[in-house]
Amino acid sequence: MNVTECRFKNRKFHKESCLQMVSAEQREYEGAFVCKRIAENNNIIASLQTDNLLEKILHRDNLNSAYKKVKANKGAGGVDGLSIDELLMFLRNNGQRINQQIVEGKYKPKPVRRVEIPKEEKGKFRKLGIPTVVDRVYQQAITQVLTPIYEEQFSEYSYGFRPKRSAHDALKQCQRNANDGYCYVVDMDLEKFFDTVCQSKLIEILSRTIRDSRVISLINKIMNAGVVQNGLFERTETGVPQGGPLSPLLSNIMLNELDKELKRRGHRFVRYADDCMIFCKSKRSAQRTLRNIIPFIEGKLFLKVNRDKTTVAHISRVKYLGYTFYSYKGYRFRVHPKSVAKLKTKLKEVTSRSNAMGNEYRARKMSQTIKGWINYFKLADMKKLLKEMDEWVRRRIRAIYWKQWKKVRTRYRKLRSLNMPEWVVHEMANCRKGTWRAAKMLNRALTNKEIASQGFISMTDYYLQVC
């Protein structure tokens, strides 16, 4: 389908029986209705007759639920400086006025605040857009109403940002595909997906289902709100701001077109957000699949395939959602080396001898990091890996204590409190070795049990407990 060029930028959708102003100067109405054309096929243009979808979005119960969700997620404020703590009072005083503006089509979402967070690759950043807390409430309200509608249309092999679905479900489906003999994959990477979404194409897709033109208009305004970075305003004529409650749903709606095309062609696939894996039985088949699907993605969906990162390989050679696979009585999970390296970097920061953390806070921070990491990677076989990591982390903890026991008399006191023999106390207290070497010697005094009593958890023990 070819999307027509729009000659009227930023023109609003209009209700049925509402005539449109000719221009700002003439102050009069045209004799014909005008609708912004977004595609050449008339059968997919949303009817201007409404079905009260906007009223469902603005219903008191739906807005209250949206407020609670935004409040629970916390997060920083937007360009207006309004914080989460001030949100409730603001909505009590201004909520009715904002609702009326939305119904009349006069509401203008504020620009999002641009924030850049570093990616794994050095020198690269992911651009996030933080809407104001008020806009987040209304985006969440839209999401809550549209999600049940679109859940019926989404593919069963799509797992990202969907209720009662997780990354673990996507990984298990990958495992089933590999065990069925589909062990060669097209690891698809879409270049800057959220920044390059064609807004007119997305509006066209939304219009197939949403018959309330006011809701379409509101979503269009949210996407066109613009961004503010370093005090400068920038228009957003392409892309979906990544960071608001609505953007995950919009991304799924857009990529559902890819899911339907893959299903029509008979491919096995798994998609988590914009990370898509297509499964084939041979390498030649996977290469042919990649060649054939690129024209659809770039020619029909107007997205860009990153050819440098899109690969065709055996499933044991790809990284997907932090995991990789190996073959032993079927295909099993293991943690990708890059994921292990990221954990070690975090633990190095927490167990640094010069970060001025107290030991109680350090133990709590370490516990949060380890529990979160293991809960995510619990599908992987990593008992041996965690034993090695435990030894390394405990040695770093002993090095922290050794540095804290800086003076000889302090070492005497601390070692005696650990019920060590006097000759061992004398030998260790007068040790002149470096901190790292002394930490290895200290395992006689600061045993694994003693370290655990200080609140530092063992990764191996927690992994066995979780699994």
Side-chain angles (χ1 to χ4, degrees):
M1 178 183 303
N2 296 323
V3 178
T4 59
E5 182 181 355
C6 177
R7 295 177 293 123
F8 307 101
K9 273 195 175 181
N10 304 324
R11 179 165 286 180
K12 299 177 182 178
F13 289 88
H14 294 270
K15 296 182 186 179
E16 184 184 24
S17 75
C18 292
L19 296 175
Q20 186 165 328
M21 298 289 289
V22 175
S23 68
E25 292 82 6
Q26 295 177 4
R27 303 285 183 184
E28 60 185 22
Y29 292 95
E30 291 181 308
F33 302 116
V34 178
C35 175
K36 182 179 179 181
R37 181 70 54 142
I38 52 179
E40 292 179 358
N41 293 353
N42 291 335
N43 61 346
I44 62 170
I45 301 299
S47 171
L48 292 179
Q49 294 182 349
T50 65
D51 60 355
N52 297 325
L53 192 60
L54 186 64
E55 281 69 23
K56 295 177 184 177
I57 292 171
L58 298 179
H59 193 274
R60 181 184 182 89
D61 293 341
N62 187 52
L63 288 175
N64 284 340
S65 176
Y67 165 77
K68 291 176 182 177
K69 185 74 173 177
V70 171
K71 177 77 172 177
N73 290 338
K74 300 180 181 178
V79 294
D80 61 354
L82 191 70
S83 68
I84 289 289
D85 297 331
E86 301 167 321
L87 176 59
L88 181 59
M89 187 58 66
F90 180 87
L91 291 176
R92 282 176 177 171
N93 297 332
N94 300 279
Q96 196 65 35
R97 175 179 59 82
I98 295 173
N99 290 354
Q100 188 62 33
Q101 286 179 344
I102 292 175
V103 170
E104 295 173 356
K106 297 178 181 179
Y107 181 70
K108 293 183 178 180
K110 290 184 172 58
V112 299
R113 182 165 62 87
R114 174 73 80 208
V115 176
E116 294 183 346
I117 58 174
K119 288 186 176 181
E120 293 180 16
E121 300 91 345
K122 289 185 178 179
K124 293 189 177 181
F125 296 87
R126 177 175 285 107
K127 295 180 180 180
L128 297 183
I130 302 177
T132 64
V133 290
V134 176
D135 288 339
R136 290 212 291 269
V137 170
Y138 285 95
Q139 286 190 36
Q140 181 64 35
I142 296 170
T143 303
Q144 290 172 177
V145 172
L146 296 189
T147 295
I149 297 172
Y150 279 99
E151 275 297 311
E152 298 178 359
Q153 302 180 19
F154 288 158
S155 168
E156 60 179 313
Y157 303 115
S158 165
Y159 296 90
F161 309 122
R162 294 184 61 187
K164 298 180 181 179
R165 286 170 173 252
S166 67
H168 289 171
D169 297 323
L171 289 161
K172 288 174 183 176
Q173 182 60 45
C174 290
Q175 186 182 42
R176 285 192 288 269
N177 290 340
N179 288 332
D180 288 343
Y182 296 81
C183 54
Y184 284 91
V185 297
V186 178
D187 186 7
M188 184 74 66
D189 184 84
L190 300 177
E191 187 174 345
K192 298 179 181 178
F193 168 72
F194 283 93
D195 298 329
T196 58
V197 170
C198 178
Q199 292 183 1
S200 60
K201 179 65 178 179
L202 180 55
I203 290 294
E204 176 226 312
I205 296 169
L206 288 167
S207 301
R208 299 174 192 171
T209 302
I210 300 173
R211 296 316 210 185
D212 192 332
S213 59
R214 299 171 298 171
V215 176
I216 297 287
S217 177
L218 181 58
I219 294 174
N220 193 43
K221 287 178 181 178
I222 291 171
M223 291 192 294
N224 282 293
V227 299
V228 173
Q229 186 173 15
N230 299 325
L232 299 176
F233 174 79
E234 180 183 345
R235 295 188 66 180
T236 51
E237 296 180 351
T238 60
V240 176
Q242 186 180 2
L246 185 58
S247 57
L249 176 61
L250 294 180
S251 69
N252 272 337
I253 292 171
M254 186 72 179
L255 290 173
N256 188 48
E257 299 300 300
L258 175 60
D259 297 345
K260 290 191 288 188
E261 181 66 17
L262 291 172
K263 183 178 180 180
R264 187 185 69 81
R265 298 186 185 190
H267 292 305
R268 288 202 181 197
F269 68 94
V270 172
R271 184 176 64 80
Y272 189 90
D274 58 333
D275 292 329
C276 184
M277 295 254 281
I278 308 171
F279 292 80
C280 303
K281 287 194 172 182
S282 68
K283 189 171 183 179
R284 289 183 63 185
S285 174
Q287 291 170 339
R288 185 170 60 251
T289 299
L290 176 60
R291 284 196 306 270
N292 293 338
I293 200 63
I294 284 178
F296 175 81
I297 295 173
E298 296 186 340
K300 300 293 185 180
L301 299 183
F302 310 110
L303 299 172
K304 180 69 174 175
V305 176
N306 189 335
R307 284 159 170 81
D308 294 332
K309 292 186 178 180
T310 298
T311 58
V312 172
H314 193 270
I315 193 170
S316 61
R317 296 182 178 272
V318 299
K319 175 190 176 187
Y320 191 63
L321 302 178
Y323 282 77
T324 188
F325 300 81
Y326 75 99
S327 179
Y328 178 74
K329 298 179 180 179
Y331 284 92
R332 301 171 68 88
F333 299 107
R334 65 180 178 185
V335 186
H336 195 275
K338 287 185 179 179
S339 302
V340 177
K342 285 179 69 176
L343 174 64
K344 290 191 78 170
T345 301
K346 289 182 181 179
L347 292 177
K348 277 183 180 178
E349 293 174 3
V350 177
T351 58
S352 171
R353 300 193 293 272
S354 57
N355 60 12
M357 283 187 186
N359 289 337
E360 290 184 7
Y361 177 77
R362 192 193 312 274
R364 188 164 63 251
K365 191 76 175 174
M366 225 178 99
S367 177
Q368 292 171 356
T369 302
I370 290 171
K371 286 181 178 180
W373 192 86
I374 291 178
N375 283 333
Y376 181 76
F377 288 102
K378 63 184 178 182
L379 298 180
D381 299 329
M382 54 178 178
K383 189 174 179 181
K384 182 180 178 181
L385 169 67
L386 293 183
K387 282 185 177 179
E388 294 172 356
M389 292 280 285
D390 270 332
E391 292 175 6
W392 173 73
V393 168
R394 282 194 290 259
R395 188 170 177 181
R396 289 184 66 86
I397 293 169
R398 292 183 182 108
I400 292 169
Y401 279 99
W402 185 255
K403 186 180 178 183
Q404 291 173 352
W405 303 346
K406 187 174 181 180
K407 296 182 179 179
V408 174
R409 65 170 177 265
T410 304
R411 293 173 185 171
Y412 267 104
R413 188 175 70 254
K414 294 291 184 180
L415 291 169
R416 282 170 178 158
S417 68
L418 294 170
N419 300 319
M420 300 297 295
E422 191 63 28
W423 68 271
V424 174
V425 172
H426 181 75
E427 179 185 6
M428 294 179 65
N430 291 284
C431 174
R432 292 296 181 264
K433 295 179 180 179
T435 304
W436 188 243
R437 290 188 65 189
K440 187 173 184 179
M441 180 186 67
L442 196 60
N443 60 6
R444 287 185 290 175
L446 278 176
T447 61
N448 297 352
K449 187 176 180 181
E450 181 63 30
I451 290 176
S453 69
Q454 300 296 324
F456 295 97
I457 68 170
S458 164
M459 286 186 272
T460 306
D461 292 345
Y462 186 75
Y463 172 68
L464 295 175
Q465 175 186 337
V466 167
C467 294

